[in-house]
PDB file of all heavy atoms in Angstrom:
ATOM      1  N   ILE A 232       0.873  -1.175   0.000  1.00 89.00           N
ATOM      2  CA  ILE A 232       0.000   0.000   0.000  1.00 89.00           C
ATOM      3  C   ILE A 232       0.909   1.224   0.000  1.00 89.00           C
ATOM      4  O   ILE A 232       1.594   1.505   0.981  1.00 89.00           O
ATOM      5  CB  ILE A 232      -0.907   0.036   1.232  1.00 89.00           C
ATOM      6  CG1 ILE A 232      -1.747  -1.238   1.323  1.00 89.00           C
ATOM      7  CG2 ILE A 232      -1.810   1.257   1.190  1.00 89.00           C
ATOM      8  CD1 ILE A 232      -2.616  -1.294   2.555  1.00 89.00           C
ATOM      9  N   GLY A 233       0.925   1.940  -1.087  1.00 83.00           N
ATOM     10  CA  GLY A 233       1.831   3.074  -1.224  1.00 83.00           C
ATOM     11  C   GLY A 233       3.237   2.605  -1.546  1.00 83.00           C
ATOM     12  O   GLY A 233       3.650   1.531  -1.110  1.00 83.00           O
ATOM     13  N   ASP A 234       3.959   3.390  -2.329  1.00 78.00           N
ATOM     14  CA  ASP A 234       5.351   3.032  -2.614  1.00 78.00           C
ATOM     15  C   ASP A 234       6.288   4.000  -1.908  1.00 78.00           C
ATOM     16  O   ASP A 234       5.857   4.979  -1.289  1.00 78.00           O
ATOM     17  CB  ASP A 234       5.620   3.012  -4.128  1.00 78.00           C
ATOM     18  CG  ASP A 234       5.324   4.346  -4.801  1.00 78.00           C
ATOM     19  OD1 ASP A 234       5.673   5.390  -4.224  1.00 78.00           O
ATOM     20  OD2 ASP A 234       4.751   4.342  -5.900  1.00 78.00           O
ATOM     21  N   THR A 235       7.576   3.729  -1.989  1.00 73.00           N
ATOM     22  CA  THR A 235       8.552   4.512  -1.232  1.00 73.00           C
ATOM     23  C   THR A 235       8.687   5.945  -1.728  1.00 73.00           C
ATOM     24  O   THR A 235       9.176   6.809  -1.006  1.00 73.00           O
ATOM     25  CB  THR A 235       9.934   3.828  -1.287  1.00 73.00           C
ATOM     26  OG1 THR A 235      10.302   3.627  -2.664  1.00 73.00           O
ATOM     27  CG2 THR A 235       9.894   2.472  -0.590  1.00 73.00           C
ATOM     28  N   LYS A 236       8.236   6.214  -2.944  1.00 76.00           N
ATOM     29  CA  LYS A 236       8.351   7.568  -3.491  1.00 76.00           C
ATOM     30  C   LYS A 236       7.113   8.411  -3.191  1.00 76.00           C
ATOM     31  O   LYS A 236       7.205   9.541  -2.734  1.00 76.00           O
ATOM     32  CB  LYS A 236       8.594   7.509  -4.995  1.00 76.00           C
ATOM     33  CG  LYS A 236       9.969   6.968  -5.380  1.00 76.00           C
ATOM     34  CD  LYS A 236      10.164   7.023  -6.889  1.00 76.00           C
ATOM     35  CE  LYS A 236      11.550   6.511  -7.269  1.00 76.00           C
ATOM     36  NZ  LYS A 236      11.778   6.547  -8.746  1.00 76.00           N
ATOM     37  N   ILE A 237       5.937   7.853  -3.468  1.00 79.00           N
ATOM     38  CA  ILE A 237       4.706   8.618  -3.306  1.00 79.00           C
ATOM     39  C   ILE A 237       4.063   8.344  -1.945  1.00 79.00           C
ATOM     40  O   ILE A 237       3.680   9.248  -1.219  1.00 79.00           O
ATOM     41  CB  ILE A 237       3.705   8.283  -4.433  1.00 79.00           C
ATOM     42  CG1 ILE A 237       4.328   8.603  -5.798  1.00 79.00           C
ATOM     43  CG2 ILE A 237       2.405   9.052  -4.240  1.00 79.00           C
ATOM     44  CD1 ILE A 237       3.477   8.192  -6.973  1.00 79.00           C
ATOM     45  N   GLY A 238       3.941   7.073  -1.586  1.00 85.00           N
ATOM     46  CA  GLY A 238       3.354   6.702  -0.310  1.00 85.00           C
ATOM     47  C   GLY A 238       1.834   6.819  -0.310  1.00 85.00           C
ATOM     48  O   GLY A 238       1.217   7.261  -1.276  1.00 85.00           O
ATOM     49  N   ALA A 239       1.245   6.396   0.792  1.00 88.00           N
ATOM     50  CA  ALA A 239      -0.202   6.468   0.982  1.00 88.00           C
ATOM     51  C   ALA A 239      -0.465   7.222   2.278  1.00 88.00           C
ATOM     52  O   ALA A 239       0.332   7.166   3.213  1.00 88.00           O
ATOM     53  CB  ALA A 239      -0.796   5.065   1.054  1.00 88.00           C
ATOM     54  N   SER A 240      -1.576   7.931   2.328  1.00 87.00           N
ATOM     55  CA  SER A 240      -1.913   8.657   3.554  1.00 87.00           C
ATOM     56  C   SER A 240      -2.363   7.662   4.629  1.00 87.00           C
ATOM     57  O   SER A 240      -2.684   6.509   4.334  1.00 87.00           O
ATOM     58  CB  SER A 240      -3.016   9.683   3.293  1.00 87.00           C
ATOM     59  OG  SER A 240      -4.251   9.030   3.048  1.00 87.00           O
ATOM     60  N   PHE A 241      -2.413   8.133   5.868  1.00 87.00           N
ATOM     61  CA  PHE A 241      -2.880   7.296   6.977  1.00 87.00           C
ATOM     62  C   PHE A 241      -4.310   6.831   6.713  1.00 87.00           C
ATOM     63  O   PHE A 241      -4.674   5.692   7.014  1.00 87.00           O
ATOM     64  CB  PHE A 241      -2.801   8.084   8.285  1.00 87.00           C
ATOM     65  CG  PHE A 241      -3.225   7.309   9.499  1.00 87.00           C
ATOM     66  CD1 PHE A 241      -2.443   6.265   9.977  1.00 87.00           C
ATOM     67  CD2 PHE A 241      -4.399   7.611  10.166  1.00 87.00           C
ATOM     68  CE1 PHE A 241      -2.831   5.536  11.101  1.00 87.00           C
ATOM     69  CE2 PHE A 241      -4.795   6.899  11.288  1.00 87.00           C
ATOM     70  CZ  PHE A 241      -4.006   5.865  11.761  1.00 87.00           C
ATOM     71  N   VAL A 242      -5.120   7.706   6.121  1.00 89.00           N
ATOM     72  CA  VAL A 242      -6.509   7.353   5.800  1.00 89.00           C
ATOM     73  C   VAL A 242      -6.548   6.258   4.728  1.00 89.00           C
ATOM     74  O   VAL A 242      -7.389   5.350   4.783  1.00 89.00           O
ATOM     75  CB  VAL A 242      -7.295   8.592   5.323  1.00 89.00           C
ATOM     76  CG1 VAL A 242      -8.740   8.219   5.022  1.00 89.00           C
ATOM     77  CG2 VAL A 242      -7.248   9.686   6.362  1.00 89.00           C
ATOM     78  N   ASP A 243      -5.650   6.330   3.751  1.00 91.00           N
ATOM     79  CA  ASP A 243      -5.560   5.284   2.723  1.00 91.00           C
ATOM     80  C   ASP A 243      -5.278   3.929   3.365  1.00 91.00           C
ATOM     81  O   ASP A 243      -5.868   2.908   2.996  1.00 91.00           O
ATOM     82  CB  ASP A 243      -4.457   5.596   1.714  1.00 91.00           C
ATOM     83  CG  ASP A 243      -4.819   6.739   0.789  1.00 91.00           C
ATOM     84  OD1 ASP A 243      -6.019   6.942   0.546  1.00 91.00           O
ATOM     85  OD2 ASP A 243      -3.899   7.430   0.322  1.00 91.00           O
ATOM     86  N   LEU A 244      -4.354   3.915   4.334  1.00 90.00           N
ATOM     87  CA  LEU A 244      -4.028   2.673   5.040  1.00 90.00           C
ATOM     88  C   LEU A 244      -5.256   2.132   5.766  1.00 90.00           C
ATOM     89  O   LEU A 244      -5.544   0.933   5.707  1.00 90.00           O
ATOM     90  CB  LEU A 244      -2.899   2.906   6.054  1.00 90.00           C
ATOM     91  CG  LEU A 244      -1.523   3.293   5.527  1.00 90.00           C
ATOM     92  CD1 LEU A 244      -0.525   3.366   6.676  1.00 90.00           C
ATOM     93  CD2 LEU A 244      -1.023   2.320   4.474  1.00 90.00           C
ATOM     94  N   MET A 245      -5.973   3.017   6.442  1.00 90.00           N
ATOM     95  CA  MET A 245      -7.189   2.610   7.164  1.00 90.00           C
ATOM     96  C   MET A 245      -8.229   2.050   6.190  1.00 90.00           C
ATOM     97  O   MET A 245      -8.819   0.992   6.437  1.00 90.00           O
ATOM     98  CB  MET A 245      -7.776   3.808   7.902  1.00 90.00           C
ATOM     99  CG  MET A 245      -6.988   4.278   9.100  1.00 90.00           C
ATOM    100  SD  MET A 245      -7.204   3.211  10.542  1.00 90.00           S
ATOM    101  CE  MET A 245      -8.944   3.438  10.885  1.00 90.00           C
ATOM    102  N   GLU A 246      -8.445   2.746   5.091  1.00 92.00           N
ATOM    103  CA  GLU A 246      -9.471   2.346   4.129  1.00 92.00           C
ATOM    104  C   GLU A 246      -9.180   0.974   3.534  1.00 92.00           C
ATOM    105  O   GLU A 246     -10.051   0.095   3.501  1.00 92.00           O
ATOM    106  CB  GLU A 246      -9.558   3.387   3.014  1.00 92.00           C
ATOM    107  CG  GLU A 246     -10.664   3.114   2.005  1.00 92.00           C
ATOM    108  CD  GLU A 246     -10.742   4.186   0.924  1.00 92.00           C
ATOM    109  OE1 GLU A 246      -9.820   5.022   0.842  1.00 92.00           O
ATOM    110  OE2 GLU A 246     -11.721   4.168   0.161  1.00 92.00           O
ATOM    111  N   LYS A 247      -7.945   0.769   3.090  1.00 93.00           N
ATOM    112  CA  LYS A 247      -7.595  -0.501   2.443  1.00 93.00           C
ATOM    113  C   LYS A 247      -7.538  -1.647   3.452  1.00 93.00           C
ATOM    114  O   LYS A 247      -7.917  -2.781   3.138  1.00 93.00           O
ATOM    115  CB  LYS A 247      -6.273  -0.358   1.693  1.00 93.00           C
ATOM    116  CG  LYS A 247      -6.389   0.528   0.453  1.00 93.00           C
ATOM    117  CD  LYS A 247      -5.062   0.651  -0.273  1.00 93.00           C
ATOM    118  CE  LYS A 247      -5.236   1.350  -1.626  1.00 93.00           C
ATOM    119  NZ  LYS A 247      -5.766   2.717  -1.504  1.00 93.00           N
ATOM    120  N   SER A 248      -7.066  -1.368   4.670  1.00 93.00           N
ATOM    121  CA  SER A 248      -7.003  -2.409   5.699  1.00 93.00           C
ATOM    122  C   SER A 248      -8.399  -2.868   6.099  1.00 93.00           C
ATOM    123  O   SER A 248      -8.668  -4.071   6.205  1.00 93.00           O
ATOM    124  CB  SER A 248      -6.261  -1.889   6.935  1.00 93.00           C
ATOM    125  OG  SER A 248      -4.924  -1.558   6.624  1.00 93.00           O
ATOM    126  N   PHE A 249      -9.309  -1.912   6.325  1.00 93.00           N
ATOM    127  CA  PHE A 249     -10.682  -2.260   6.698  1.00 93.00           C
ATOM    128  C   PHE A 249     -11.363  -3.043   5.572  1.00 93.00           C
ATOM    129  O   PHE A 249     -12.103  -4.001   5.835  1.00 93.00           O
ATOM    130  CB  PHE A 249     -11.481  -0.995   7.027  1.00 93.00           C
ATOM    131  CG  PHE A 249     -11.686  -0.798   8.501  1.00 93.00           C
ATOM    132  CD1 PHE A 249     -10.653  -0.316   9.294  1.00 93.00           C
ATOM    133  CD2 PHE A 249     -12.885  -1.122   9.108  1.00 93.00           C
ATOM    134  CE1 PHE A 249     -10.828  -0.144  10.659  1.00 93.00           C
ATOM    135  CE2 PHE A 249     -13.078  -0.952  10.467  1.00 93.00           C
ATOM    136  CZ  PHE A 249     -12.037  -0.459  11.254  1.00 93.00           C
ATOM    137  N   LYS A 250     -11.123  -2.634   4.342  1.00 94.00           N
ATOM    138  CA  LYS A 250     -11.746  -3.327   3.210  1.00 94.00           C
ATOM    139  C   LYS A 250     -11.312  -4.788   3.168  1.00 94.00           C
ATOM    140  O   LYS A 250     -12.143  -5.690   2.978  1.00 94.00           O
ATOM    141  CB  LYS A 250     -11.378  -2.637   1.898  1.00 94.00           C
ATOM    142  CG  LYS A 250     -12.026  -3.289   0.677  1.00 94.00           C
ATOM    143  CD  LYS A 250     -11.675  -2.535  -0.607  1.00 94.00           C
ATOM    144  CE  LYS A 250     -12.345  -3.193  -1.815  1.00 94.00           C
ATOM    145  NZ  LYS A 250     -12.036  -2.472  -3.076  1.00 94.00           N
ATOM    146  N   GLU A 251     -10.018  -5.036   3.374  1.00 94.00           N
ATOM    147  CA  GLU A 251      -9.503  -6.405   3.336  1.00 94.00           C
ATOM    148  C   GLU A 251     -10.069  -7.231   4.485  1.00 94.00           C
ATOM    149  O   GLU A 251     -10.418  -8.404   4.317  1.00 94.00           O
ATOM    150  CB  GLU A 251      -7.976  -6.386   3.395  1.00 94.00           C
ATOM    151  CG  GLU A 251      -7.320  -7.711   3.055  1.00 94.00           C
ATOM    152  CD  GLU A 251      -7.594  -8.145   1.624  1.00 94.00           C
ATOM    153  OE1 GLU A 251      -7.674  -7.276   0.738  1.00 94.00           O
ATOM    154  OE2 GLU A 251      -7.721  -9.363   1.395  1.00 94.00           O
ATOM    155  N   ILE A 252     -10.163  -6.625   5.674  1.00 95.00           N
ATOM    156  CA  ILE A 252     -10.734  -7.316   6.828  1.00 95.00           C
ATOM    157  C   ILE A 252     -12.198  -7.655   6.578  1.00 95.00           C
ATOM    158  O   ILE A 252     -12.655  -8.768   6.863  1.00 95.00           O
ATOM    159  CB  ILE A 252     -10.583  -6.457   8.102  1.00 95.00           C
ATOM    160  CG1 ILE A 252      -9.112  -6.405   8.531  1.00 95.00           C
ATOM    161  CG2 ILE A 252     -11.439  -7.017   9.240  1.00 95.00           C
ATOM    162  CD1 ILE A 252      -8.831  -5.412   9.643  1.00 95.00           C
ATOM    163  N   ILE A 253     -12.955  -6.713   6.033  1.00 95.00           N
ATOM    164  CA  ILE A 253     -14.382  -6.927   5.753  1.00 95.00           C
ATOM    165  C   ILE A 253     -14.584  -8.034   4.726  1.00 95.00           C
ATOM    166  O   ILE A 253     -15.439  -8.915   4.898  1.00 95.00           O
ATOM    167  CB  ILE A 253     -15.039  -5.608   5.269  1.00 95.00           C
ATOM    168  CG1 ILE A 253     -15.184  -4.646   6.452  1.00 95.00           C
ATOM    169  CG2 ILE A 253     -16.403  -5.874   4.643  1.00 95.00           C
ATOM    170  CD1 ILE A 253     -15.628  -3.254   6.060  1.00 95.00           C
ATOM    171  N   VAL A 254     -13.798  -8.020   3.652  1.00 95.00           N
ATOM    172  CA  VAL A 254     -13.907  -9.056   2.613  1.00 95.00           C
ATOM    173  C   VAL A 254     -13.647 -10.439   3.205  1.00 95.00           C
ATOM    174  O   VAL A 254     -14.391 -11.396   2.939  1.00 95.00           O
ATOM    175  CB  VAL A 254     -12.927  -8.771   1.458  1.00 95.00           C
ATOM    176  CG1 VAL A 254     -12.818  -9.974   0.524  1.00 95.00           C
ATOM    177  CG2 VAL A 254     -13.362  -7.546   0.662  1.00 95.00           C
ATOM    178  N   SER A 255     -12.597 -10.543   4.034  1.00 96.00           N
ATOM    179  CA  SER A 255     -12.246 -11.838   4.638  1.00 96.00           C
ATOM    180  C   SER A 255     -13.309 -12.298   5.627  1.00 96.00           C
ATOM    181  O   SER A 255     -13.695 -13.478   5.643  1.00 96.00           O
ATOM    182  CB  SER A 255     -10.890 -11.740   5.341  1.00 96.00           C
ATOM    183  OG  SER A 255      -9.856 -11.498   4.422  1.00 96.00           O
ATOM    184  N   CYS A 256     -13.815 -11.374   6.453  1.00 95.00           N
ATOM    185  CA  CYS A 256     -14.844 -11.732   7.438  1.00 95.00           C
ATOM    186  C   CYS A 256     -16.125 -12.188   6.749  1.00 95.00           C
ATOM    187  O   CYS A 256     -16.715 -13.201   7.137  1.00 95.00           O
ATOM    188  CB  CYS A 256     -15.134 -10.550   8.354  1.00 95.00           C
ATOM    189  SG  CYS A 256     -13.857 -10.214   9.577  1.00 95.00           S
ATOM    190  N   GLU A 257     -16.550 -11.445   5.735  1.00 95.00           N
ATOM    191  CA  GLU A 257     -17.780 -11.804   5.033  1.00 95.00           C
ATOM    192  C   GLU A 257     -17.653 -13.176   4.381  1.00 95.00           C
ATOM    193  O   GLU A 257     -18.589 -13.993   4.435  1.00 95.00           O
ATOM    194  CB  GLU A 257     -18.097 -10.757   3.973  1.00 95.00           C
ATOM    195  CG  GLU A 257     -19.446 -10.976   3.302  1.00 95.00           C
ATOM    196  CD  GLU A 257     -19.813  -9.837   2.367  1.00 95.00           C
ATOM    197  OE1 GLU A 257     -18.889  -9.256   1.767  1.00 95.00           O
ATOM    198  OE2 GLU A 257     -21.010  -9.537   2.240  1.00 95.00           O
ATOM    199  N   LYS A 258     -16.509 -13.444   3.794  1.00 94.00           N
ATOM    200  CA  LYS A 258     -16.267 -14.743   3.151  1.00 94.00           C
ATOM    201  C   LYS A 258     -16.389 -15.883   4.152  1.00 94.00           C
ATOM    202  O   LYS A 258     -17.067 -16.892   3.891  1.00 94.00           O
ATOM    203  CB  LYS A 258     -14.881 -14.744   2.506  1.00 94.00           C
ATOM    204  CG  LYS A 258     -14.472 -16.076   1.901  1.00 94.00           C
ATOM    205  CD  LYS A 258     -13.041 -16.005   1.366  1.00 94.00           C
ATOM    206  CE  LYS A 258     -12.569 -17.371   0.885  1.00 94.00           C
ATOM    207  NZ  LYS A 258     -11.155 -17.300   0.406  1.00 94.00           N
TER     208      LYS A 258
END
């Protein structure tokens, strides 16, 4: 999530992490 040059915001990390957790839980 994010690369060493551009990176991702803290909110981006939260959004993508929650999405992955939700997908796995629902499955």
Side-chain angles (χ1 to χ4, degrees):
I232 303 177
D234 58 42
T235 55
K236 291 184 179 180
I237 301 175
S240 70
F241 181 70
V242 181
D243 288 332
L244 295 185
M245 289 284 296
E246 184 179 11
K247 290 180 171 61
S248 298
F249 256 77
K250 181 178 181 179
E251 193 63 35
I252 289 171
I253 287 172
V254 168
S255 295
C256 286
E257 186 173 33
K258 175 184 174 182

